[in-house]
Amino acid sequence: MHDQASVLRVLTKKGKNKMRVIAVTSGKGGVGKTSFTVNLALALAEYGQRVVILDGDLGLANVDVAFGLTARHTIEHLLSGEKTIEQIMLTGPRGIGIIPGGSGVQNLANLDRAKLANVISNLGRLEKMADLLIIDTGAGLGYTVTNFLQASDDIIMVTTPEPTALTDAYGLLKTLRKEASEVPIHVVVNRVRSETDAQATFNRLETAVRKFLQGSLNFMGWVYDDPLVGRSVMQQDPLGISFPESSAYRCIQWIASRVSGIYQSPPRQAGGIKGFLGKLLRSL
């Protein structure tokens, strides 16, 4: 077993121009989290951001599929030492990097010292490759999901107006209140008919959080219910590529502009990839 304390000292060294880590999550599956993540990355790339997506949904890793790509290697090959970060990373439209997921992430805490040092060295190179690392987490309250969330700089929670989605979103927020209370949480309401519906959905969630969790949420935006989203998924061609003028993608472009502005007035100190890995290791 590695000496975790010495590893953490390396991971948490401060540097300049740190990459930000944003985790996209949801209380339940089926709310459009991965589609949102993929198209958010595309919209951010339009704003000049260099983006890498880590597919952190270990059970149903499918970010590569959403881009119409096929992964030959995954993060498991990186953790085993068989491949480098450059060898496993796919390149999507607009230069977006994609790190295919795999169940090997769960073994991070059990790596021997040599393999852990290799992983840290490889992931550390992301700092020069990207401005933003977006983690598409698994849905729900799994151990690995919680670790990703509490290690990130910001959390974007995707939900829908459906009562079951809101109930599960509240359950995740309750866990995050205990496990990741210092990480800002930004809510996106997906598949809404109108701005009024989106605001009403957020208000219901925020009221419960303020009353029972004594916390707060940031309303980042909404995405309209748009049949073109389903068509793009079936075509394995992201909405931002196949239907860039669609109402849903215009919403995501607006949200991307807000993501770019989250860190203004004043910006939170970014932890970078080393800070993210350090916090992740603390939780393992």
Side-chain angles (χ1 to χ4, degrees):
M1 176 63 71
H2 55 267
D3 177 2
Q4 207 169 68
S6 63
V7 173
L8 292 175
R9 283 194 291 272
V10 175
L11 291 174
T12 55
K13 285 183 179 178
K14 300 298 181 182
K16 297 181 179 179
N17 302 318
K18 293 184 183 297
M19 177 182 65
R20 298 204 72 88
V21 181
I22 300 175
V24 181
T25 192
S26 62
K28 66 185 292 290
V31 299
K33 173 180 56 63
T34 296
S35 176
F36 172 80
T37 300
V38 165
N39 286 291
L40 177 65
L42 287 169
L44 286 165
E46 289 181 326
Y47 287 111
Q49 299 286 318
R50 298 175 302 157
V51 183
V52 171
I53 302 174
L54 167 60
D55 193 343
D57 191 340
L58 308 182
L60 298 170
N62 56 6
V63 169
D64 55 330
V65 175
F67 278 107
L69 302 173
T70 301
R72 294 181 59 190
H73 308 293
T74 72
I75 198 168
E76 292 184 67
H77 295 92
L78 174 65
L79 298 181
S80 69
E82 298 174 62
K83 300 293 179 181
T84 66
I85 189 70
E86 291 84 0
Q87 289 173 324
I88 69 169
M89 187 182 297
L90 302 174
T91 301
R94 299 174 191 162
I96 295 170
I98 301 145
I99 303 175
S103 59
V105 175
Q106 295 170 323
N107 297 323
L108 182 60
N110 298 319
L111 292 179
D112 62 40
R113 189 182 183 87
K115 286 186 177 180
L116 183 65
N118 177 62
V119 169
I120 292 170
S121 175
N122 272 271
L123 292 180
R125 295 201 292 276
L126 288 175
E127 203 83 62
K128 296 181 179 179
M129 300 179 193
D131 304 305
L132 288 169
L133 173 65
I134 302 178
I135 303 175
D136 180 33
T137 74
L141 298 169
Y143 176 72
T144 304
V145 172
T146 303
N147 288 338
F148 276 142
L149 296 178
Q150 67 186 55
S152 299
D153 292 311
D154 288 273
I155 297 168
I156 297 178
M157 172 176 284
V158 180
T159 188
T160 69
E162 296 177 1
T164 53
L166 287 176
T167 298
D168 290 336
Y170 176 79
L172 179 56
L173 288 168
K174 186 176 181 180
T175 297
L176 292 178
R177 180 65 177 165
K178 298 177 181 177
E179 305 291 342
S181 60
E182 296 182 359
V183 184
I185 301 173
H186 314 278
V187 176
V188 170
V189 185
N190 195 20
R191 298 175 187 160
V192 300
R193 296 181 180 180
S194 66
E195 177 182 349
T196 301
D197 288 344
Q199 186 67 61
T201 299
F202 174 77
N203 289 345
R204 288 197 294 273
L205 192 57
E206 184 186 38
T207 298
V209 168
R210 287 187 181 277
K211 182 176 181 180
F212 299 109
L213 303 181
Q214 290 75 52
S216 63
L217 302 172
N218 173 51
F219 187 26
M220 180 165 282
W222 62 89
V223 181
Y224 289 122
D225 192 7
D226 188 336
L228 292 177
V229 175
R231 286 180 58 183
S232 72
V233 170
M234 292 300 295
Q235 294 172 8
Q236 294 184 8
D237 197 13
L239 195 67
I241 301 297
S242 54
F243 303 108
E245 301 301 319
S246 63
S247 61
Y249 188 64
R250 286 184 180 276
C251 288
I252 294 173
Q253 286 176 310
W254 170 63
I255 291 169
S257 73
R258 300 199 68 192
V259 169
S260 299
I262 286 174
Y263 317 116
Q264 307 297 322
S265 305
R268 292 179 66 245
Q269 178 62 44
I273 191 65
K274 290 182 179 179
F276 168 75
L277 287 170
K279 289 184 284 186
L280 184 60
L281 281 174
R282 289 188 186 97
S283 64
L284 293 172

